[in-house]
Amino acid sequence: MNQQLNLDRWLNREYAYGFSTSFDYEPFPIGLNEQIVKMISAKKCEPQFMLDFRLKAYHIWKQMPRPQWARVAYETINFEQILYYAAPSTTEDDVQSTLAKLGVKPSSKVALDPVFDSVSLGTGFHQALKDAGVIFCSISEAIQKYPSLVKKYLASVVPIGDNFFSALNSAVFSDGSFCYIPQDTACPMELSTYFRLQKEGSGQFERTLIIAEKGASVSYLEGCTAARYDRHQLHAAVVELIALDHASIKYSTVQNWYSGDQEGKGGIYNFVTKRGLCAGEGAKISWTQVETGSAITWKYPSCILAANNTRADFYSVALTDGYQQADTGSKMIHLGANSKSRIISKGICGGKSMNTYRGQVKMTSAAQKAWNHSQCDSLILGKKATANTYPYIEIANVSARVEHEATTTQIGEEQLFYLQQRGINVQDAVNQMVLGFCQQVFLQLPMEFATEVNELLTIKLEGNC
C-alpha cells in the first residue's frame, strides 16, 4: 500500500466530532512507522505542534527497551500487526443499542462521552456544563478548540519518555477525554467516558487530561469493555490529572475488558499509565478503581503531592480469575510538607490466576510531617491461584510517618458452614463475603457505579466456591 498517497487522501478528509449517523471511513493501514503517525495526526486535523509532539514521541519510543520487570508472562507483542486507528462502521442507533446492552444508561446526572475504538461519539449536556464554564469534550476537539490549554498541560504529569507505553501512547493516541474546571467552580454533574474496543486486531490508545483550577472540584467516571476475539489486543492509555490550589479531583474506574476464554485464549493487554499532580496548596486527588477484566493488567494510579497540605487517596479492588494476571498498585510521592496519602488495596484471585500488588511510598527530604497509611489485603479463592505483595517504602525525612499493613487470607470452611446453616447456599455465601471484603473500596464509588459494581462482581465470582 502506498502510504504517502494514503496520507494525501487523509489530509483532504474531514474529521467529524460528535455523533454521526454513520461512519464511512477508508480503512487504515496496519503497522507503525513515521508515516502512520503522520496519518493519525492528519486524520485528526491537528496543528503542527501536535504532529511534532507525536513524531518526537515515536522516535523516543523506538529507542526504548521493552519493560520486563512486572510479574506477568505473555506473548511478545508484534507492534507491526496492530491497527492504530479504527473508526466504528456503525450507525447512531447501533451505538445506542450497544450501550443499552452493556448497561450504560442515559442519566440527567451524568454527562457521557462514548468512545468506540478510536473515535469519540460526542458529549452530552453541553448547555448545563457551558453555563458553569466547564469544558468537557474529546481530546481531539480540545486540540482544535483549546490548543493553548492542551499545549500547556499535555505530558506535564506523564512525560513522553516516562515509560515504554507512555511513549507509544504519545505517538499514536486516539480519542479520550478533556476536562477543564475553571476557578472556584464545582462541576454541576458527573463527567463520564465509556471506552469500547470493537474492531478485531485494533488497539486503543486514549489520552485523558483533567485540569481543576484553584478552588474547583470535579468527579469523573470511566468504564470500559471490549468485544471477544481469540487474538490478544493492546490497550495502552495515559491519564493526567492536575489539581491546583484547594482543587479536588475524584477519578473512578470500572475496568471490564475482555479477559480471554476458559483456556486463557485471547483477551486485552491492559498497560496503562495514570498519574495525578497535586500542584497547588491544599489540592486533593482521589483514585477509586475496580479491576475485573483484561488478560493482563499493569496499572499503578499514582500521585505526586508537590505542594504543602495536599491529600491523595487510592482505593482499589482487583479481581482475577481463570488465567488472568494483574500487576497493580499505586505510588505516592510526597514533596510537600504536611502532605497526606492513603492506599487501600483489595486483591481477590481465583482459578489459576495471579494477582500482584506493587506499591511505592516515597517521603522526600522536603516532606516535613508527611503521612501515609497503606493497607494491602489479599483474598485467595482457589487452590491454584497466587497472590503477591511488593511494597517499596523510601523515607528521607525523620518527621514523616509511614504505616503499612498487609494480610493474605482464604474463605474459611467454618464461615461457609455458618452461613449455610442459615439457609444461604455456598455461591451466595462466597459472594457476600467477597462483597464485604471490598466494602471499604465500594463506599468510595459514586452512587451511579455502586450498584453496577456489586452486580458485576457477583457475575465474575460464579464458580468460585
Side-chain angles (χ1 to χ4, degrees):
M1 180 179 290
N2 187 325
Q3 291 184 344
Q4 182 58 53
L5 292 177
N6 242 317
L7 174 58
D8 292 339
R9 285 199 293 273
W10 285 116
L11 284 167
N12 292 318
R13 295 175 71 88
E14 201 174 301
Y15 183 80
Y17 297 111
F19 273 98
S20 173
T21 54
S22 65
F23 298 91
D24 187 26
Y25 295 140
E26 179 180 339
F28 210 81
I30 292 172
L32 182 57
N33 54 43
E34 189 172 297
Q35 201 65 24
I36 292 288
V37 174
K38 290 180 179 179
M39 290 174 69
I40 293 172
S41 186
K43 176 61 185 165
K44 296 162 76 68
C45 302
E46 292 178 342
Q48 185 64 39
F49 84 87
M50 276 308 307
L51 175 58
D52 295 341
F53 177 90
R54 289 181 182 275
L55 291 174
K56 178 182 178 181
Y58 171 70
H59 290 295
I60 290 174
W61 174 76
K62 280 185 66 179
Q63 303 302 317
M64 297 183 76
R66 300 189 186 199
Q68 302 291 333
W69 47 264
R71 192 178 175 86
V72 293
Y74 64 99
E75 299 173 1
T76 301
I77 300 171
N78 186 343
F79 292 97
E80 294 302 320
Q81 294 298 315
I82 295 174
L83 178 62
Y84 289 90
Y85 184 93
S89 54
T90 186
T91 66
E92 182 177 344
D93 288 341
D94 291 335
V95 170
Q96 298 286 14
S97 175
T98 301
L99 292 174
K101 289 177 182 177
L102 295 167
V104 182
K105 303 171 184 176
S107 168
S108 60
K109 298 179 181 179
V110 180
L112 176 65
D113 178 17
V115 177
F116 277 51
D117 295 324
S118 303
V119 178
S120 164
L121 305 184
T123 56
F125 296 98
H126 293 280
Q127 192 58 49
L129 296 175
K130 185 178 180 181
D131 291 344
V134 173
I135 300 171
F136 177 47
C137 62
S138 72
I139 192 72
S140 297
E141 186 175 353
I143 290 168
Q144 297 285 336
K145 294 183 176 180
Y146 314 102
S148 59
L149 284 174
V150 173
K151 195 171 184 178
K152 179 178 179 180
Y153 290 109
L154 187 68
S156 63
V157 184
V158 180
I160 289 172
D162 183 81
N163 62 74
F164 183 83
F165 290 103
S166 71
L168 175 64
N169 175 280
S170 297
V172 301
F173 73 84
S174 48
D175 256 329
S177 291
F178 177 84
C179 311
Y180 177 82
I181 318 301
Q183 183 173 334
D184 297 324
T185 300
C187 189
M189 60 181 63
E190 303 273 1
L191 306 181
S192 178
T193 305
Y194 180 82
F195 296 101
R196 175 71 176 173
L197 213 172
Q198 292 209 125
K199 190 171 183 63
E200 186 174 9
S202 66
Q204 193 166 66
F205 307 93
E206 76 269 11
R207 190 93 183 198
T208 297
L209 180 59
I210 301 176
I211 305 113
E213 290 281 6
K214 180 179 179 180
S217 63
V218 62
S219 176
Y220 176 89
L221 318 176
E222 174 190 80
C224 46
T225 61
R228 301 184 176 194
Y229 296 113
D230 290 341
R231 178 181 169 185
H232 293 294
Q233 292 177 270
L234 175 62
H235 172 248
V238 171
V239 174
E240 298 179 282
L241 311 182
I242 299 102
L244 301 180
D245 290 355
H246 304 289
S248 174
I249 300 175
K250 182 178 178 63
Y251 189 105
S252 305
T253 303
V254 176
Q255 184 266 109
N256 191 27
W257 294 117
Y258 178 48
S259 58
D261 64 17
Q262 293 181 347
E263 282 74 45
K265 190 175 182 181
I268 304 298
Y269 291 159
N270 185 36
F271 302 156
V272 180
T273 305
K274 294 188 172 185
R275 189 172 301 150
L277 175 64
C278 292
E281 182 168 359
K284 180 179 180 181
I285 292 177
S286 176
W287 301 95
T288 305
Q289 65 177 32
V290 178
E291 306 281 336
T292 66
S294 75
I296 299 176
T297 298
W298 297 357
K299 189 177 183 183
Y300 315 97
S302 310
C303 275
I304 301 171
L305 294 95
N308 297 339
N309 302 305
T310 48
R311 176 69 187 247
D313 296 315
F314 171 78
Y315 299 90
S316 172
V317 169
L319 170 64
T320 56
D321 193 15
Y323 289 86
Q324 287 178 271
Q325 301 172 75
D327 196 309
T328 65
S330 183
K331 301 176 184 178
M332 296 293 179
I333 312 300
H334 289 253
L335 305 177
N338 299 307
S339 52
K340 294 180 174 62
S341 66
R342 182 190 301 272
I343 296 173
I344 304 294
S345 174
K346 305 286 185 177
I348 307 145
C349 49
K352 298 180 181 179
S353 70
M354 180 180 294
N355 200 322
T356 299
Y357 168 81
R358 191 183 304 274
Q360 179 185 12
V361 175
K362 183 175 182 178
M363 301 290 186
T364 64
S365 58
Q368 290 287 334
K369 297 184 180 180
W371 173 84
N372 166 267
H373 174 79
S374 297
Q375 178 183 335
C376 311
D377 299 322
S378 299
L379 180 62
I380 301 176
L381 300 180
K383 293 181 180 179
K384 296 182 179 180
T386 304
N388 307 287
T389 301
Y390 299 110
Y392 182 81
I393 300 171
E394 183 180 353
I395 303 174
N397 192 304
V398 295
S399 69
R401 178 181 172 187
V402 177
E403 305 164 356
H404 180 88
E405 59 180 276
T407 63
T408 302
T409 59
Q410 291 180 300
I411 291 177
E413 301 229 354
E414 297 86 355
Q415 295 169 298
L416 287 175
F417 179 76
Y418 177 85
L419 293 172
Q420 284 181 281
Q421 293 303 302
R422 279 144 184 82
I424 301 173
N425 66 46
V426 175
Q427 184 67 68
D428 288 341
V430 170
N431 292 348
Q432 291 304 313
M433 282 188 279
V434 171
L435 292 174
F437 177 76
C438 300
Q439 196 65 23
Q440 194 175 1
V441 175
F442 290 170
L443 289 173
Q444 304 300 319
L445 286 168
M447 187 69 70
E448 288 76 10
F449 270 20
T451 303
E452 295 176 22
V453 167
N454 281 336
E455 293 175 357
L456 177 61
L457 252 69
T458 299
I459 293 171
K460 291 284 185 178
L461 288 168
E462 287 181 7
N464 282 290
C465 57

